[in-house]
């Protein structure tokens, strides 16, 4: 969303001045002139920061509430979780016993990535900001260790902390942060390691982009680094959600939502993301 406010992205134009801020969400149908949708249906779409959007039916997906609640569809059945699923499996080639490192591990995508890796029999280390978030990553999400990046004064400190938490190196790094965190992780790649570029929250509005210095480590490890967009997996969303819903039912997958009340909190919430003030997926609940 921060990118959409300025130049846009490779897959989406920027938002013109005067138009509602874009953003995905879940809503209840109040009125419908479209076949297949009736008042009371729960749907998801790019609703935007507005209370009563009018949206063409082709842009809506009706929620299958047999898979989970509306809150589940925001978190472990939503696009954040689907992103973690395909990022780890298809891009990261995750295998049992992999040594996995996840940045922004207490965030919307990170919390699901940690749990998927745990369920699949990997050893997981999460990176998060602050003692409370690190405790959540280990105690609630089941990571084997957590690194508090806020306790690291320099990139060298973070690199050393990763070395202590991952003494045998990293097979798979799931990156939501970019910048110095990515650089520090690259220093610890094992032979054949995979680096998944999911997000770059540290660089989105940085005054000066961070220059990665450890790319030689990727080459010497015969590793692979690849970015992706979850939208490219649209035809396989049902596959991911079937797996995620089964893990919800058996209790091995959980979520934490960080909820702000009222549409007027949306700009505040966006700022919170860049300051690392959320634990779990940050959402705004709009009471219409």
């Amino acid at each position: 969303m921060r990118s959409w406010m300025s130049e846009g992205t490779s897959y989406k134009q920027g938002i013109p001045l005067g138009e509602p801020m874009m953003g995905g969400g879940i809503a209840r149908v109040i009125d419908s002139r479209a076949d297949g949708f009736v008042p009371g249906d729960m749907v998801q779409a790019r609703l935007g920061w507005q209370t009563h959007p009018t949206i063409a039916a082709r842009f809506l997906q009706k929620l299958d509430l047999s898979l989970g609640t509306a809150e589940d569809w925001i978190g472990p059945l939503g696009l954040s979780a689907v992103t973690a699923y395909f990022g780890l499996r298809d891009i990261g080639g995750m295998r049992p016993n992999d040594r996995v490192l996840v940045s922004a591990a207490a965030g919307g995508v990170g919390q699901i990535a940690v749990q998927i890796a745990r369920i699949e029999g990997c050893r997981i280390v999460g990176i998060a900001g602050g003692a409370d978030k690190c405790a959540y990553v280990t105690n609630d999400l089941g990571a084997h260790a957590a690194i508090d990046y806020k306790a690291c004064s320099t990139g060298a400190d973070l690199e050393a902390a990763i070395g202590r938490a991952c003494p045998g190196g990293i097979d798979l790094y799931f990156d939501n942060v970019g910048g110095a965190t990515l650089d520090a992780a690259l220093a610890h790649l094992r032979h054949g390691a995979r680096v998944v570029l999911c997000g770059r929250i540290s660089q989105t509005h940085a005054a000066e982009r961070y220059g990665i210095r450890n790319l030689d480590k990727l080459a010497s490890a015969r590793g692979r680094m690849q970015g992706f967009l979850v939208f490219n997996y649209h035809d396989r969303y049902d596959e991911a959600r079937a797996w995620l819903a089964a893990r919800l039912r058996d209790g091995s997958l959980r979520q934490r939502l960080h909820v702000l009340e009222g549409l007027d909190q949306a700009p505040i919430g966006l700022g919170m993301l860049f300051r690392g003030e959320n634990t779990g997926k940050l959402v705004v609940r709009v009471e219409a």
Side-chain angles (χ1 to χ4, degrees):
M1 288 192 291
R2 176 62 182 83
S3 298
W4 295 338
M5 291 169 66
S6 51
E7 74 280 3
T9 67
S10 61
Y11 64 92
K12 188 69 179 177
Q13 291 182 341
I15 305 169
L17 289 175
E19 292 296 315
M21 179 66 183
M22 288 188 294
I26 286 175
R28 180 178 289 107
V29 174
I30 295 174
D31 187 31
S32 173
R33 300 175 185 174
D35 293 338
F37 294 95
V38 299
D41 282 346
M42 299 297 294
V43 297
Q44 68 176 5
R46 284 190 179 166
L47 304 173
W49 291 9
Q50 50 190 331
T51 59
H52 294 75
T54 300
I55 300 176
R58 67 182 182 277
F59 298 126
L60 299 177
Q61 179 186 3
K62 188 183 298 187
L63 303 189
D64 182 353
L65 296 180
S66 70
L67 296 179
T69 66
E71 287 77 12
D72 291 332
W73 276 88
I74 292 175
L77 296 177
L79 280 187
S80 293
V82 173
T83 297
Y85 178 91
F86 288 115
L88 285 171
R89 292 179 180 276
D90 283 50
I91 306 300
M94 180 180 60
R95 301 183 289 263
N97 299 316
D98 269 349
R99 305 173 191 205
V100 179
L101 179 67
V102 179
S103 61
V109 176
Q111 65 171 328
I112 302 298
V114 167
Q115 294 179 85
I116 292 174
R118 184 205 72 223
I119 291 167
E120 293 299 307
C122 300
R123 183 187 186 277
I124 316 101
V125 174
I127 301 174
D132 290 344
K133 288 187 180 182
C134 287
Y136 169 65
V137 169
T138 54
N139 298 338
D140 292 72
L141 302 182
H144 295 83
I147 298 167
D148 180 2
Y149 74 83
K150 291 186 176 180
C152 301
S153 301
T154 66
D157 291 342
L158 181 57
E159 188 173 316
I162 293 173
R164 291 190 295 271
C166 308
I170 302 164
D171 295 304
L172 198 168
Y173 174 45
F174 193 100
D175 184 36
N176 293 299
V177 175
T181 305
L182 171 60
D183 212 17
L186 289 174
H188 298 283
L189 299 183
R190 287 162 56 88
H191 183 83
R194 292 84 65 202
V195 177
V196 179
L197 300 179
C198 179
R200 55 183 184 96
I201 191 70
S202 73
Q203 303 297 293
T204 303
H205 68 151
E208 184 176 345
R209 298 292 176 87
Y210 182 93
I212 300 296
R213 296 169 295 178
N214 282 327
L215 282 176
D216 60 313
K217 305 293 186 180
L218 184 70
S220 61
R222 281 72 163 176
R224 171 172 54 83
M225 183 160 62
Q226 182 177 345
F228 75 107
L229 294 174
V230 69
F231 312 117
N232 293 337
Y233 291 90
H234 183 269
D235 292 342
R236 294 175 57 195
Y237 284 178
D238 288 346
E239 168 198 328
R241 286 180 170 132
W243 188 93
L244 293 162
R247 305 293 85 75
L248 277 173
R249 287 193 296 270
D250 68 24
S252 58
L253 184 66
R254 64 183 69 184
Q255 71 162 341
R256 178 181 290 185
L257 296 179
H258 189 138
V259 181
L260 304 179
E261 297 289 349
L263 184 59
D264 60 339
Q265 295 296 301
I268 295 170
L270 185 59
M272 288 173 63
L273 290 174
F274 294 97
R275 296 187 296 271
E277 295 173 356
N278 60 301
T279 300
K281 184 173 178 64
L282 185 60
V283 299
V284 174
R285 180 158 45 213
V286 179
E287 297 292 342

